[in-house]
Amino acid sequence: MQPQPSRARRRAVRTRTLLAGTAAAALAVALTGCGSSGGPSNSQDGAKSVASGAPASPTPPPKPKKVLMPTGPAADLKKVRDTEAGPIMMTTLNGPKSGVSGKVWVWLPPQYNDPAYASHGFPVLTLYAGGQSAGYNTWTDNQLPIQKIDAELSKAGKAHPFILIMPVQNLNSSESKALECSDIPGQPKIGTWMAEDIPDFVRANFRTVKGRDGWGLMGASTGAFCSAKLALQHPGTFKAAVPIDGYFNPDSPLWQGHEQERLANSPGQLVARGTADVRMLATAGGSNAYETGLVKAWVKKAVPPLTVEYYEQPGGKHLTSDFKKMIPETLEWLSKNLAGPEAD
């Protein structure tokens, strides 16, 4: 905001509009001698300020944007399966940052194409499967019907309508070649593919909530390891994660000879560093004493600003059928800890 004329100067300007010639000049000189610091002003801006009776208000700063519109280029997405809640699409993502090429499945909630939500950005939930998940992802089939459940819960106002992203986790079905969602030295950079290339792909193709507040991760078993690890390593990208019945110590044979790098990718180490402002819900099946002890011990290691809640599924076993039972509770928890659809 520009400096405003002094009271004496405003009086001089007002007087000049009424008097002419030498009388006005004389009065201006007199007022200058009485305390005007800068003498008479001939600027049009000064006249406008006096005429309006008040200084112009400063222009308010623009409101921060909540929605990130697709940046392109558009991916080649093809429908691979119909669900009761809409189609699942798939593309092969060639990651420019990682050099990894792998399949990614996508489901858009019904609201995404609703004209009432045309200007809304949507939260994103990336889902990791158990086992090797090389060429498949169990969240895409009827074993874990998260698409149908999310559509029902969002319609009832109990959960957000999430964009669901379901990538592969390995490029080889052999457990001896497990990449553990990490950049293992000498191996394909699947960690970079997951943490950077996939979010870039999502932002390029879909309306999303700007910033990290609408980005979450969830996975079961091996997928739990991935969701916990990636959230702890990349808190600037992800705000919340739900590791379901997971393990937290990297044990792929590919880490042999790379102990320092292995520990740097260990959720068991990362949880205690106090560097990740992330919210988590860690679960365990109540009928598996080893699993409950493992998860509880990991939760106790958490150091602020990280917060980890613990949930024990009564009678739960390490089975896909029990993971399925937990979908409603996990979606509701994620909806409480992530931003929902937003419009500017």
Side-chain angles (χ1 to χ4, degrees):
M1 183 168 65
Q2 296 182 350
Q4 300 300 309
S6 66
R7 180 183 300 175
R9 187 178 296 176
R10 291 199 299 270
R11 289 168 57 194
V13 173
R14 188 183 306 115
T15 304
R16 286 202 304 277
T17 63
L18 300 175
L19 303 179
T22 58
L27 181 57
V29 172
L31 289 173
T32 300
C34 291
S36 175
S37 61
S41 171
N42 292 316
S43 70
Q44 294 180 356
D45 290 342
K48 288 179 181 178
S49 296
V50 173
S52 66
S57 299
T59 302
K63 293 182 179 179
K65 295 288 186 181
K66 298 178 181 179
V67 179
L68 184 64
M69 301 302 288
T71 58
D76 181 21
L77 287 157
K78 292 182 170 60
K79 185 175 77 171
V80 293
R81 179 172 173 256
D82 280 312
T83 75
E84 294 181 46
I88 293 176
M89 300 170 288
M90 189 272 288
T91 191
T92 297
L93 174 61
N94 299 307
K97 294 180 178 177
S98 65
V100 169
S101 179
K103 293 179 180 179
V104 180
W105 290 264
V106 178
W107 177 79
L108 300 176
Q111 292 89 338
Y112 189 88
N113 293 310
D114 185 337
Y117 286 82
S119 61
H120 285 66
F122 285 77
V124 179
L125 177 59
T126 301
L127 300 166
Y128 300 111
Q132 282 297 97
S133 187
Y136 70 92
N137 187 305
T138 49
W139 295 99
T140 67
D141 60 37
N142 57 11
Q143 295 182 80
L144 295 168
I146 191 170
Q147 298 82 12
K148 177 176 180 289
I149 295 172
D150 184 54
E152 292 172 346
L153 290 176
S154 64
K155 186 177 181 180
K158 295 181 178 180
H160 297 327
F162 288 102
I163 294 173
L164 301 183
I165 305 297
M166 299 155 281
V168 298
Q169 287 152 233
N170 284 286
L171 307 177
N172 191 303
S173 60
S174 171
E175 290 192 7
S176 65
K177 300 291 185 181
L179 297 172
E180 294 194 306
C181 300
S182 304
D183 289 354
I184 301 175
Q187 303 300 322
K189 294 183 177 180
I190 199 80
T192 298
W193 188 71
M194 291 176 165
E196 299 185 43
D197 287 329
I198 288 178
D200 286 348
F201 154 76
V202 175
R203 288 187 286 263
N205 286 274
F206 308 108
R207 303 189 309 275
T208 57
V209 176
K210 192 173 183 180
R212 74 176 192 127
D213 286 354
W215 288 76
L217 304 168
M218 183 163 73
S221 191
T222 305
F225 174 95
C226 292
S227 61
K229 186 193 88 78
L230 291 168
L232 290 169
Q233 285 183 318
H234 303 278
T237 301
F238 307 108
K239 184 179 181 180
V242 179
I244 301 171
D245 298 14
Y247 71 99
F248 307 102
N249 183 45
D251 59 5
S252 170
L254 296 176
W255 289 112
Q256 186 173 356
H258 305 289
E259 182 63 9
Q260 184 176 351
E261 292 87 352
R262 188 187 75 84
L263 293 175
N265 285 275
S266 169
Q269 300 290 317
L270 294 167
V271 71
R273 289 189 178 175
T275 57
D277 183 10
V278 174
R279 304 170 188 175
M280 289 196 192
L281 174 66
T283 81
S287 68
N288 187 327
Y290 172 78
E291 183 173 274
T292 56
L294 183 73
V295 177
K296 283 181 179 180
W298 184 76
V299 170
K300 288 181 180 179
K301 291 182 180 181
V303 174
L306 172 67
T307 60
V308 185
E309 300 174 39
Y310 173 75
Y311 174 76
E312 189 172 303
Q313 184 183 22
K317 299 179 181 179
H318 199 88
L319 299 171
T320 301
S321 57
D322 280 335
F323 302 157
K324 175 182 175 180
K325 296 174 185 177
M326 296 189 61
I327 292 175
E329 287 81 6
T330 55
L331 285 176
E332 290 181 21
W333 185 91
L334 283 161
S335 298
K336 293 175 182 177
N337 288 277
L338 292 172
E342 295 186 340
D344 290 328

